[in-house]
Amino acid sequence: MKFIIQRNRLIDSVQDVMKAVSSRTTIPILTGIKIVASDQGITLTGSDSDISIESFIPKEENGDEIVEIKETGGIVLNAKFFGEIVRKLPMDFVEFEVQNHHQTIIRSGKAEFNLNGLDPDEYPHLPQISEDKVFSIPTDLLKSIIRQTVFAVSTSETRPILTGVNWHIENGKLTCTATDSHRLAMRTAPIEMDPSETYNAVIPGKSLIELSKILDDSNTPVEIVMTENQFLFKSKNLLFFSRRLEGNYPDTSRLIPTDSKTELVLQTKEFLHSIDRASLLARGERNNVVKLVTLEEKNIEISSTTPEIGNVVEQIQSESISGEELKISFSAKYMMDALRALEGTEIRIHFTGAMRPFIIRSVDDDSILQLILPVRTF
Amino acid sequence: MKFIIQRNRLIDSVQDVMKAVSSRTTIPILTGIKIVASDQGITLTGSDSDISIESFIPKEENGDEIVEIKETGGIVLNAKFFGEIVRKLPMDFVEFEVQNHHQTIIRSGKAEFNLNGLDPDEYPHLPQISEDKVFSIPTDLLKSIIRQTVFAVSTSETRPILTGVNWHIENGKLTCTATDSHRLAMRTAPIEMDPSETYNAVIPGKSLIELSKILDDSNTPVEIVMTENQFLFKSKNLLFFSRRLEGNYPDTSRLIPTDSKTELVLQTKEFLHSIDRASLLARGERNNVVKLVTLEEKNIEISSTTPEIGNVVEQIQSESISGEELKISFSAKYMMDALRALEGTEIRIHFTGAMRPFIIRSVDDDSILQLILPVRTF
């Protein structure tokens, strides 16, 4: 293998595939990045066996030569060293040359690195995907969907299925749900797919977070391929594979109340800042719990106490209050996470009593639902 | 105590005095910030008994009212909570009111915090300083002096005196020296002081690092007061006290070679980047060691090896080489630290053989000297 490549393009691709490489893998070759030079260009691959990322650098783009291939072939190089070296090379172009015994020369200007590589044939093959169920969504929408749900996955391995986000497709609609059993986030989006097809898969939260970091903020479509064991996200020159979590995702629809006893409409930012302030002193017996009480004349009161330190009380004017009076306590963190995930300047909260889960939605957007279980304190 | 204050000014002052507050103190009241309202303005104090910082907020500045004092007095409030609360208050003004039993109300907009304060009379008194030996240097020069020396202090407590920087004044010249016994950094600066006066003190490196964070980049003078046990830095509305380290600082002058067998002149940046690249593979038996070899025609070669991973070799063209041929090994980290501390585009290195300490200076600035002990490998 021998080629010369633009350093900046190489840096970008290495940065992308590095996101799949873990230093704590039990399979030594997976601490490396696989580099393959073909007549079309260079392909880099990184994997921790849960996630695999493949980035392709074409020989030429818009008439600009990016890679000059002198000899095709492949090599696996230690990801950590390779990544650092590429970033610190002195010139705009880099030459790669694989010699006997996988010895690899990396040259740039007068600097010459000689790295011990590994046999690319020993690198695990990426999952074979038969393009079966496919749909596509714009990159920016995909990033929103991830951001608005993934924070609510469980971080505990007690119920592994809850560490993933449930992707459910039915009637041409995608519904993504995440819950750690104390709160739930749900986002829907219409997709172009045969409405008679249904599909269900749980994708690890960690995979979605890494995917989100790689995606840009454009609205170019990402193609999504779903198979028995894998999820594949395809965008320009990039393949992102994630395994699926095994097991059945719990039926969350019964959790979501359909009636409501008290309804509140609030300015999102004002409410968020007030909860944020109250959370500063929400370090009592039950960690991070704030209280909300409805008052006269559309006012509500947010408060919290840390006995040794002090307490905080704040009144907010709501846009409207309807239904029964209410005193309720909940986690400030869950509320702030939910408010940050919602879009729009006003939110509506549907309460069904102090002991029942409550729902938060944007006033003018039904596609996002946030649910929180209250804490018993009154 | 009762006053109303501009929130931004309070945030800045709290941020400054917080740098002296440690959460790991054995004296409970030192986890707090002392706030005193006098007829002149508000004084905030933070201390970990090694460092004490006092910040004054005047009632009025350039005709702008910053504080409205309604009742003088004092209180001590938990620094961590107080700092977070002040940053998150909703309005531009904040009202403070101390009630019975040191209960303190902090009001801003409709938010009201009620904090349990402590008795200000129980807060330790700051050191009493009789203004004895005093000189002043511009803020930006003081910051440079700190930056160019403090990185070389020892991080080990085996010889506590080496964790400080030695400040020595003689013949109207300030000499600051730091060494961890493997390398040494020395910076001199002329000061305006009676040339017959001499003075010597060792200031903890940690104190200087915190001081440096508080100082701005202006050239307004900082006044420095030296006493038996304390160092005091005074700038506008700010007092910074540091204790001195006890014990005698070693005589470092004998360490610095006066002759030289090989002299090299190099472009600072080019050399720094080359050492940085070599350091990537400097993870062999002796951690972080790179080799430098003089070659023909003003070239030098920088190299390093990590046996399992590979090696790197790079040639650099020097501006000039004079004297004997040389092969030498040294710590890449020490060299990069030294090069970053030097000013100017070209440096000169004076070697006295592969086993002897060598000196690095800026070609056109004698005020900074960096010394490194080589590592035996050849």
Side-chain angles (χ1 to χ4, degrees):
Chain A
M1 184 179 84
K2 192 172 175 180
F3 63 88
I4 297 170
I5 188 166
Q6 286 186 14
R7 192 169 67 97
N8 281 339
R9 289 299 290 260
L10 186 60
I11 291 175
D12 291 347
S13 279
V14 170
Q15 217 165 15
D16 283 351
V17 302
M18 279 285 269
K19 298 219 160 53
V21 180
S22 160
S23 54
R24 284 171 308 183
T25 175
T26 50
I27 309 165
I29 203 165
L30 291 187
T31 59
I33 289 178
K34 185 166 83 162
I35 304 162
V36 172
S38 69
D39 289 329
Q40 287 71 47
I42 305 296
T43 305
L44 302 185
T45 310
S47 176
D48 68 355
S49 60
D50 281 353
I51 302 174
S52 302
I53 303 174
E54 196 179 287
S55 174
F56 178 69
I57 307 170
K59 253 172 63 176
E60 198 186 286
E61 204 172 61
N62 307 325
D64 182 23
E65 185 176 40
I66 300 163
V67 191
E68 185 191 341
I69 310 280
K70 298 194 162 175
E71 199 187 322
T72 59
I75 192 73
V76 175
L77 296 178
N78 181 292
K80 195 166 140 276
F81 285 93
F82 178 56
E84 287 184 1
I85 288 167
V86 167
R87 262 190 301 123
K88 292 192 171 169
L89 289 173
M91 308 301 276
D92 292 342
F93 284 88
V94 188
E95 184 177 343
F96 281 78
E97 187 176 352
V98 176
Q99 299 177 328
N100 290 335
H101 308 293
H102 311 298
Q103 283 295 309
T104 306
I105 311 283
I106 304 177
R107 261 186 224 103
S108 182
K110 283 181 179 170
E112 185 172 306
F113 286 82
N114 193 332
L115 296 184
N116 309 327
L118 294 168
D119 186 350
D121 293 338
E122 285 173 17
Y123 195 88
H125 290 287
L126 290 192
Q128 291 301 307
I129 302 274
S130 59
E131 310 237 339
D132 192 16
K133 312 236 173 158
V134 181
F135 67 97
S136 75
I137 34 179
T139 309
D140 47 3
L141 176 59
L142 176 58
K143 279 183 93 164
S144 294
I145 290 172
I146 295 173
R147 185 179 67 79
Q148 289 155 354
T149 53
V150 79
F151 67 88
V153 301
S154 171
T155 52
S156 139
E157 285 293 332
T158 333
R159 287 180 71 189
I161 195 82
L162 295 187
T163 63
V165 179
N166 191 48
W167 283 46
H168 181 80
I169 295 169
E170 198 173 342
N171 299 325
K173 192 168 85 169
L174 167 68
T175 304
C176 297
T177 310
T179 180
D180 59 7
S181 73
H182 303 289
R183 44 128 169 223
L184 176 146
M186 194 172 86
R187 171 70 150 101
T188 57
I191 54 168
E192 279 177 36
M193 202 171 167
D194 179 350
S196 68
E197 298 230 45
T198 68
Y199 187 83
N200 205 87
V202 184
I203 313 173
K206 190 177 161 288
S207 299
L208 292 169
I209 290 168
E210 296 303 329
L211 172 63
S212 193
K213 287 182 195 159
I214 293 182
L215 297 173
D216 58 30
D217 292 308
S218 72
N219 59 1
T220 51
V222 177
E223 207 166 271
I224 299 176
V225 185
M226 302 163 291
T227 74
E228 206 62 37
N229 311 304
Q230 290 282 330
F231 237 74
L232 165 59
F233 300 85
K234 284 167 110 174
S235 81
K236 196 187 166 208
N237 294 331
L238 195 81
L239 300 181
F240 184 104
F241 297 82
S242 169
R243 74 176 172 101
R244 292 172 43 178
L245 289 175
E246 283 168 40
N248 290 319
Y249 201 78
D251 178 11
T252 52
S253 61
R254 289 169 313 165
L255 259 177
I256 300 165
T258 46
D259 55 342
S260 118
K261 290 187 181 162
T262 313
E263 273 188 46
L264 262 182
V265 176
L266 292 161
Q267 298 285 340
T268 318
K269 272 208 182 150
E270 189 188 4
F271 186 49
L272 173 62
H273 291 156
S274 157
I275 298 287
D276 193 9
R277 277 189 287 275
S279 80
L280 293 177
L281 291 181
R283 297 178 195 176
E285 257 174 84
R286 289 157 178 276
N287 203 16
N288 212 17
V289 172
V290 298
K291 291 182 191 178
L292 182 154
V293 178
T294 55
L295 306 175
E296 307 267 291
E297 291 178 355
K298 298 205 286 183
N299 282 314
I300 62 166
E301 185 183 275
I302 309 292
S303 64
S304 73
T305 303
T306 303
E308 327 79 76
I309 304 294
N311 64 62
V312 50
V313 180
E314 180 164 354
Q315 282 192 18
I316 314 181
Q317 178 91 41
S318 70
E319 299 299 308
S320 76
I321 301 184
S322 58
E324 301 176 4
E325 284 179 15
L326 181 75
K327 290 183 182 188
I328 194 167
S329 296
F330 48 81
S331 154
K333 181 181 183 303
Y334 292 170
M335 181 57 88
M336 289 193 281
D337 285 348
L339 294 173
R340 288 192 185 112
L342 288 165
E343 278 162 9
T345 54
E346 287 185 10
I347 50 132
R348 176 175 280 122
I349 315 184
H350 302 258
F351 295 97
T352 331
M355 303 304 185
R356 299 261 297 130
F358 59 90
I359 293 175
I360 315 155
R361 283 184 191 273
S362 193
V363 161
D364 37 39
D365 179 4
D366 250 16
S367 69
I368 314 172
L369 176 145
Q370 302 288 341
L371 175 145
I372 296 174
L373 268 73
V375 175
R376 287 167 196 252
T377 55
F378 288 104
Chain B
M1 185 180 85
K2 191 171 175 183
F3 63 87
I4 297 170
I5 188 165
Q6 285 187 15
R7 192 169 67 97
N8 282 339
R9 288 299 289 261
L10 186 60
I11 291 175
D12 291 347
S13 279
V14 169
Q15 217 166 14
D16 283 350
V17 302
M18 279 285 268
K19 298 216 161 56
V21 180
S22 160
S23 55
R24 285 172 307 184
T25 175
T26 49
I27 308 166
I29 202 164
L30 290 186
T31 58
I33 289 178
K34 185 166 83 161
I35 305 163
V36 173
S38 68
D39 289 328
Q40 286 72 49
I42 305 296
T43 305
L44 302 184
T45 310
S47 176
D48 68 355
S49 60
D50 281 354
I51 302 174
S52 302
I53 304 175
E54 196 179 287
S55 175
F56 177 70
I57 307 169
K59 253 172 63 175
E60 198 185 290
E61 204 172 59
N62 308 325
D64 183 21
E65 185 175 41
I66 300 162
V67 191
E68 185 191 340
I69 310 281
K70 298 195 164 177
E71 199 187 323
T72 58
I75 192 73
V76 175
L77 296 177
N78 181 293
K80 194 165 140 277
F81 285 93
F82 178 55
E84 287 184 1
I85 287 168
V86 168
R87 262 191 300 121
K88 293 193 171 168
L89 288 173
M91 309 301 276
D92 292 342
F93 285 88
V94 189
E95 185 178 342
F96 282 76
E97 187 177 350
V98 176
Q99 299 178 326
N100 290 335
H101 307 295
H102 310 300
Q103 284 295 311
T104 307
I105 311 284
I106 305 177
R107 262 186 223 103
S108 182
K110 284 182 180 168
E112 185 172 305
F113 286 83
N114 192 332
L115 296 184
N116 307 330
L118 295 169
D119 187 350
D121 292 338
E122 284 173 18
Y123 195 87
H125 290 286
L126 290 192
Q128 290 303 308
I129 302 273
S130 59
E131 310 236 337
D132 193 16
K133 312 236 173 159
V134 180
F135 68 96
S136 75
I137 35 180
T139 309
D140 47 3
L141 176 59
L142 176 58
K143 280 183 93 164
S144 294
I145 290 173
I146 295 173
R147 185 178 67 79
Q148 289 157 354
T149 53
V150 79
F151 67 87
V153 300
S154 171
T155 52
S156 140
E157 285 293 331
T158 333
R159 287 180 72 190
I161 195 82
L162 295 187
T163 62
V165 179
N166 190 49
W167 282 46
H168 181 80
I169 295 170
E170 199 174 342
N171 299 325
K173 193 168 86 168
L174 168 69
T175 305
C176 296
T177 311
T179 180
D180 60 5
S181 74
H182 302 290
R183 45 130 167 221
L184 176 147
M186 193 171 86
R187 170 70 150 100
T188 58
I191 55 167
E192 279 178 35
M193 201 171 167
D194 179 352
S196 68
E197 298 229 45
T198 69
Y199 187 82
N200 204 88
V202 185
I203 313 173
K206 191 176 160 287
S207 299
L208 293 168
I209 290 168
E210 294 305 327
L211 172 63
S212 193
K213 287 184 195 158
I214 294 183
L215 297 173
D216 58 29
D217 292 309
S218 72
N219 59 2
T220 51
V222 177
E223 208 166 272
I224 299 176
V225 185
M226 304 163 289
T227 74
E228 206 63 35
N229 312 303
Q230 291 282 330
F231 238 72
L232 165 60
F233 299 86
K234 285 166 106 174
S235 81
K236 199 187 163 205
N237 295 331
L238 196 80
L239 300 181
F240 185 103
F241 297 83
S242 168
R243 75 177 170 100
R244 292 171 45 179
L245 289 174
E246 282 168 39
N248 290 318
Y249 200 79
D251 178 13
T252 52
S253 61
R254 289 168 315 167
L255 259 177
I256 300 165
T258 46
D259 57 340
S260 120
K261 291 186 179 161
T262 314
E263 274 189 44
L264 261 182
V265 176
L266 292 161
Q267 299 284 340
T268 318
K269 271 207 180 152
E270 188 187 6
F271 186 48
L272 173 62
H273 290 155
S274 158
I275 298 287
D276 193 11
R277 278 189 286 276
S279 81
L280 294 177
L281 290 181
R283 298 177 195 178
E285 256 175 85
R286 289 158 178 276
N287 201 16
N288 213 19
V289 172
V290 298
K291 292 182 189 177
L292 182 155
V293 178
T294 55
L295 306 174
E296 307 267 291
E297 291 177 355
K298 298 205 285 181
N299 282 314
I300 62 166
E301 185 184 275
I302 309 291
S303 64
S304 74
T305 304
T306 303
E308 327 79 75
I309 303 294
N311 64 60
V312 48
V313 180
E314 179 164 355
Q315 282 191 19
I316 314 180
Q317 178 92 40
S318 69
E319 299 299 307
S320 77
I321 299 185
S322 59
E324 301 175 3
E325 284 180 12
L326 181 76
K327 290 185 181 187
I328 194 166
S329 296
F330 49 81
S331 153
K333 180 180 183 304
Y334 291 170
M335 181 58 90
M336 288 193 281
D337 285 346
L339 294 173
R340 288 190 186 115
L342 289 166
E343 277 162 9
T345 54
E346 287 185 8
I347 50 132
R348 176 175 280 121
I349 315 185
H350 301 259
F351 295 98
T352 330
M355 302 308 183
R356 301 258 298 127
F358 59 89
I359 295 175
I360 316 154
R361 283 185 191 273
S362 194
V363 162
D364 37 37
D365 179 3
D366 250 16
S367 69
I368 314 171
L369 176 145
Q370 303 287 341
L371 175 144
I372 296 174
L373 267 73
V375 175
R376 286 166 196 257
T377 55
F378 286 106

